[in-house]
Structures are given as C-alpha cells and as structure tokens.
Amino acid sequence: GPQRGGIQPAGHAGQRLADVAGQPRRQAGQGMAQHAQALAAAGGNRRAHALDQGVEAEFEFAPHAIEGFQLRGSLNYNSAKYGNFAGAPCYSGQTPAAGCSIDPVSRRTLQDLSGVDTANAPRWTGSLGANYDVPISRNLKFGMTADGRYSSSYLGSFFGDPFSRQKRFVVLNASVRIATQDDKLELAVIGKNLTNQFVVSGVVDAP
C-alpha cells in the first residue's frame, strides 16, 4: 500500500503543514494491456503485454507565517515497457536495418518491440505550484497562482518510431484574479503555456 508521511510544526499539534505520499507500483496497466493486445492482434502475437512500474510522491505546504499561501508539488518516476512483443507491426518507413522484417507466412512487415517504451510514457514527470490569496477589502480578495509542469522525453508512437520522440519540456501556467470573498464572482487573467512549448501528445502511423 502507499507509504505516507507528514510534517507538523512544533507547538501546533494536530495541524499538518506538509503531507508526503509515496506509492510504489508494479502492474500491467489495464489501458496499456488492452493497447498491447490490440497491437498484438494486428501483428499476430496475442501473448504480448506491457508492464508499468514506478513510484510517485506529492506534498503540500501552507505556512502559518504567510496566511493564504500554499505551495504544492509532485514527483513521479515511471517505467512503462512492452514485455514479450515479437511480431508487432513496423512503423511507417521502418527499414530492415531498424528491425523491420517480412513474415514469410503472412507477408506482413513485423518487428520486435519487447523491452521498448510504450507511447506517452515519460520516465520522469513533476510539478510545482504556488497559490496566494489575500483580502483587499471586506468583500474582495486578490489572488495569484503559478504552476509548472516538467516531463522528460518520451515516444509519441505506439510502434516505437524514434522520430516521434518528444524532447523534455517545462510548461508554465499562471493567473491573477480578484474575487468576492464568497467566490461567487471572479475576474481573472489566465496565462497558459507561457514557456511556449509545442508538445506531442500522440502520433498516428500511416503508410
């Protein structure tokens, strides 16, 4: 089960300043396994499977010295690879030198994806964000939020196409706002992808 821990400030029993959770896992993810089976059906290997294993941790920090301020973050390590996946379809343009061969019986182009990373599975991801709300009158409050998200590189193709690799990136979002104390009305300026990153979320392979 998950391993959890916390930090409490001295003199403030029962009030948790930070909460850290770690969740080691080792499983064949349902969606991943279904996808591997679908690819296997196309390539003829119905014993194909994928394995997802990793660990994740997250925290929140709200110091008493700065009322309305909250810091949060997370760090995740994940290893998602195909297991036995001989007989997988080749990606478009794959050459024999890159591992693509013609099956003598079915005459289909096949490759061995055993041990290759699955699609959209970065090894490391993380986030760090802060939120600050302060009253500016009896009825209004002012707030600021900033969030950053990091991802290491990953393949965008389910077929192991090396040209589909997304490089590591950081995306930053931020906002400023004025709202009523009861949060019924809010005026906000929101900025998304302020680091101007083009991110590949998936690649469709076609002949």
Side-chain angles (χ1 to χ4, degrees):
Q3 304 297 317
R4 303 190 65 89
I7 301 173
Q8 292 182 336
H12 294 270
Q15 184 166 6
R16 189 175 296 277
L17 267 182
D19 188 55
V20 180
Q23 175 64 67
R25 61 185 186 275
R26 180 182 175 86
Q27 61 185 17
Q30 182 179 2
M32 190 184 305
Q34 290 174 348
H35 179 74
Q37 291 167 5
L39 286 182
N45 179 3
R46 297 183 182 275
R47 294 178 299 173
H49 65 279
L51 183 66
D52 173 21
Q53 54 186 346
V55 64
E56 56 190 14
E58 59 184 18
F59 77 92
E60 291 184 356
F61 178 63
H64 289 288
I66 310 177
E67 185 176 355
F69 177 78
Q70 183 186 58
L71 183 68
R72 58 191 174 275
S74 66
L75 181 65
N76 304 274
Y77 172 81
N78 183 64
S79 176
K81 296 179 180 293
Y82 292 114
N84 174 22
F85 203 176
C90 297
Y91 57 82
S92 180
Q94 187 175 3
T95 64
C100 185
S101 61
I102 299 177
D103 183 82
V105 177
S106 65
R107 306 304 298 172
R108 290 182 296 188
T109 55
L110 303 175
Q111 63 170 321
D112 187 357
L113 284 178
S114 301
V116 176
D117 289 345
T118 60
N120 300 324
R123 194 62 59 90
W124 289 97
T125 57
S127 66
L128 184 65
N131 185 78
Y132 181 57
D133 285 290
V134 59
I136 55 177
S137 71
R138 187 175 66 178
N139 299 317
L140 297 176
K141 61 182 177 180
F142 173 78
M144 298 182 295
T145 300
D147 288 285
R149 178 171 62 92
Y150 167 79
S151 173
S152 61
S153 66
Y154 57 85
L155 291 173
S157 167
F158 290 108
F159 300 97
D161 185 349
F163 296 104
S164 72
R165 182 167 292 279
Q166 165 68 48
K167 296 181 179 179
R168 62 184 180 179
F169 62 89
V170 174
V171 171
L172 178 64
N173 303 318
S175 68
V176 294
R177 60 193 174 276
I178 295 178
T180 57
Q181 293 287 0
D182 57 10
D183 290 320
K184 290 184 177 180
L185 295 175
E186 179 179 280
L187 177 64
V189 177
I190 301 172
K192 292 191 174 182
N193 192 15
L194 298 177
T195 45
N196 195 29
Q197 294 290 326
F198 177 81
V199 178
V200 175
S201 59
V203 173
V204 177
D205 195 270

